[in-house]
Amino acid sequence: MKKTLQDQYLLIKEGKGHKGVFLTEAKRQFPHIIRNSATFDEAVASLKTKHIISENIISVMPTIMDR
């Protein structure tokens, strides 16, 4: 299963991902946002600015109340 850029970024933050793979994929998907010579940090900053990736994902789970 192919990971999204967000998934890859979160794995990198956990120390489990590879920056090179992320950077290559980001350049392929968003050549109009990320220049070819961009570093990992530059790419992340650009993608965050455009709200393509975010630092944290908050999931909202419905709560079940007993009555």
Side-chain angles (χ1 to χ4, degrees):
M1 181 173 87
K2 193 160 188 153
K3 301 266 188 219
T4 65
L5 284 178
Q6 180 67 49
D7 293 338
Q8 290 179 17
Y9 178 68
L10 292 175
L11 285 173
I12 291 167
K13 296 291 285 179
E14 293 174 10
K16 299 177 184 175
H18 191 274
K19 290 180 180 180
V21 173
F22 173 87
L23 191 54
T24 301
E25 188 64 20
K27 289 176 183 178
R28 185 186 70 74
Q29 287 184 27
F30 300 101
H32 57 287
I33 296 174
I34 303 170
R35 58 191 177 89
N36 281 335
S37 61
T39 65
F40 171 79
D41 292 331
E42 291 171 336
V44 167
S46 295
L47 293 172
K48 283 182 180 179
T49 301
K50 298 290 185 179
H51 303 287
I52 295 169
I53 63 172
S54 62
E55 195 69 30
N56 296 313
I57 299 278
I58 300 172
S59 63
V60 179
M61 300 293 290
T63 58
I64 300 173
M65 298 176 64
D66 292 353
R67 291 189 177 209

